[in-house]
Amino acid sequence: MSAGAGAEGAPEKGQGHSIYGRMPAWFDGSGPEGDVVVSTRIRLARNVSGRKFPARASIMEKRDMFQDVARHLSGASRRKRPVLDFEVIDVAKLRKIEQHFLVEERKVSADLLKGEGSRGVACDPKGKLSVMINEEDHLRIQGMDSGFHTFDLWEEMDKLDDDIGAMLRYAYSERLGFLTACPTNSGTGLRVSYLMHLPALVLTKAIEPVLQGASQMGISTRGFFGEHSDVLGNFFQLSNRATLGASEAEFIESASGVVKEIIGHERSARERLMKEAKLEVSDKVGRACGILRSARMLSFGELLNLTSSVRLGIECGLYSGYTTAGINRIVLICMPAHLQVYISNMRDAPDDLEVARADAARTFFAEESVKGRRKKN
């Protein structure tokens, strides 16, 4: 790829959707308990009655499904009820770099990209709510917010679910609940997930028993990008396994209760580190900052590990010149697709993404340091 001539498939200036240039709501560092819980995500799997599931539908049937859903979600439907006004994006019409950009923003799944025919996502103007269309199910209704925001987010999701259900009749069984393509999603179709930063539990070697305890309470653990992804930078995504046998509210209450306990364990581990190994932690943070200021090549995994150490320093009060929101900004820009979009509009951008990532990390880390000094003054 010749980045100097523009990253392959990256949008030129002035092109693309309004998704470009925003900090995702789930990653802005503003939510409650944000020192441990990076984000909360609630997802509902839904299908439209009388329509074939996407895996069995023809290209034409998928197109009709996409257009029907898009008409209702974009505000084009002429119903008497108040309509939704989402931006609808047909992923099939996007270039590869734009598709992966949406995956990194967690607006769509990697599985959606593997599909065929009309498929995509509808996003609300605030960037908190979205609806994937024609993934495994006709609809994957999703809400994401920064921090530990379970119950407020569920209220918004519940309303959105009701609004969509009033426009598109859901496939539903009195015995099984909402019908989904995969049996593991039937019943409520609900998945509540928390992206958590747990460096102190890792450093104190307490992470395994904590996650085993969570598993016994019906919680699954995944990596930074969710299903099928590796754990990087001490980020763990925890979500409920069961979707059948209880109400949405009960599943949410149970999952949030487990997360509250893990928050407590992580904070206790941080207190222990500050009492027993403060110098070692401070050294780890200082070394990470030094590498971020001077590295000439960085993989994304390396970047996440380094910024994880800096986050721990911020959260433990060892580094006051930076903010969690600022570190999140660096991580986001250095994700592979985001980085290609960023460098596509630069002159003399390096061809190698690891070199470009190190350049971007140095630039934005220095900017965050300047912001921190200004705040002090």
Side-chain angles (χ1 to χ4, degrees), residues 41-42 78 88 96 106 133 136 143 151 174 187 197 230 248 250-251 256 261 292 297 310 331 341 375:
R41 170 180 175 261
I42 298 176
R78 300 298 181 186
V88 180
K96 290 292 183 184
R106 299 172 77 187
I133 308 166
E136 185 178 64
F151 298 102
E174 291 296 334
H197 185 228
D230 296 327
E248 291 98 333
E250 288 170 326
F251 282 126
S256 65
E261 290 188 21
L292 287 169
M297 295 182 71
V310 178
V331 170
V341 171
K375 286 181 181 178

Side-chain angles (χ1 to χ4, degrees), residues 46-175:
R46 299 287 186 260
N47 286 283
V48 178
S49 180
R51 304 285 189 99
K52 291 179 184 177
F53 289 160
R56 294 296 186 92
S58 68
I59 295 297
M60 293 293 287
E61 287 168 331
K62 285 183 180 179
R63 186 200 65 184
D64 292 344
M65 185 75 246
F66 182 86
Q67 290 178 349
D68 195 21
V69 174
R71 185 173 66 254
H72 285 93
L73 296 185
S74 66
S77 177
R78 300 298 181 186
R79 298 177 62 92
K80 292 182 180 179
R81 290 175 55 84
V83 293
L84 304 169
D85 191 15
F86 285 26
E87 177 185 12
V88 180
I89 302 168
D90 189 341
V91 168
K93 295 180 179 179
L94 297 182
R95 288 171 283 185
K96 290 292 183 184
I97 191 67
E98 295 175 304
Q99 293 178 351
H100 288 289
F101 188 100
L102 289 172
V103 172
E104 291 175 358
E105 299 242 323
R106 299 172 77 187
K107 287 184 171 70
V108 306
S109 66
D111 287 340
L112 184 75
L113 304 191
K114 298 173 186 175
E116 296 180 346
S118 295
R119 62 203 188 281
V121 63
C123 306
D124 83 316
K126 296 179 181 178
K128 189 186 298 185
L129 304 175
S130 62
V131 182
M132 273 195 294
I133 308 166
N134 281 341
E135 194 226 35
E136 185 178 64
D137 297 289
H138 291 140
L139 305 171
R140 287 290 178 93
I141 305 168
Q142 175 177 273
M144 296 188 67
D145 207 355
S146 174
F148 191 42
H149 239 142
T150 314
F151 298 102
D152 289 345
L153 186 59
W154 170 240
E155 283 186 13
E156 293 186 63
M157 283 289 294
D158 194 24
K159 183 180 183 304
L160 177 59
D161 185 35
D162 288 345
D163 287 344
I164 296 173
M167 296 184 286
L168 300 163
R169 188 161 63 91
Y170 292 144
Y172 184 83
S173 164
E174 291 296 334
R175 184 171 66 89

Side-chain angles (χ1 to χ4, degrees), residues 41 184-185 190-196 198 210-223 226-229 231 235-243 254-255 258-259 262:
R41 170 180 175 261
T184 58
N185 287 319
L190 177 136
R191 194 78 64 198
V192 54
S193 305
Y194 301 90
L195 183 62
M196 305 188 72
L198 306 174
V210 168
L211 294 182
Q212 286 174 6
S215 179
Q216 292 171 2
M217 297 295 290
I219 299 296
S220 296
T221 304
R222 299 182 173 94
E227 196 170 11
H228 310 307
S229 69
V231 173
F235 289 100
F236 300 81
Q237 191 172 132
L238 283 73
S239 59
N240 63 300
R241 280 198 297 268
T243 61
S254 175
V258 174
V259 168
I262 296 174

